[in-house]
Amino acid sequence: MTDNSQKMSYHIGEAKGQVQEKANNIMDKASDAAQLAKESMQEAGQQIKAKAQGVADVVKDATGMNK
């Protein structure tokens, strides 16, 4: 009976380790995705800022405020 109990404990430990490893992998992927999203949003913000500045310059030129 002890042999079966030891085998069962071993298999439970193995399963627990596999679940923990998979959970860590999922968390790593989620973290990577969040970082990529953050970088994409920052890049989009910079592009919008540059376009807004370009529009402001055009308006200033058109109204003579850029002299």
Side-chain angles (χ1 to χ4, degrees):
M1 194 76 140
T2 304
D3 191 41
N4 282 342
S5 178
Q6 288 175 339
K7 284 181 183 179
M8 186 176 266
S9 291
Y10 174 79
H11 290 298
I12 289 171
E14 260 189 339
K16 181 181 176 186
Q18 290 172 356
V19 168
Q20 286 176 334
E21 185 176 349
K22 287 180 183 182
N24 287 339
N25 288 339
I26 290 170
M27 291 300 291
D28 288 345
K29 287 179 183 178
S31 178
D32 291 347
Q35 182 64 31
L36 182 60
K38 177 183 173 186
E39 291 169 3
S40 294
M41 293 301 293
Q42 287 174 336
E43 185 177 330
Q46 290 298 321
Q47 290 174 356
I48 291 169
K49 183 179 176 182
K51 287 180 183 180
Q53 184 61 52
V55 169
D57 290 343
V58 168
V59 170
K60 286 179 184 178
D61 287 344
T63 60
M65 294 176 62
N66 213 13
K67 295 181 179 179

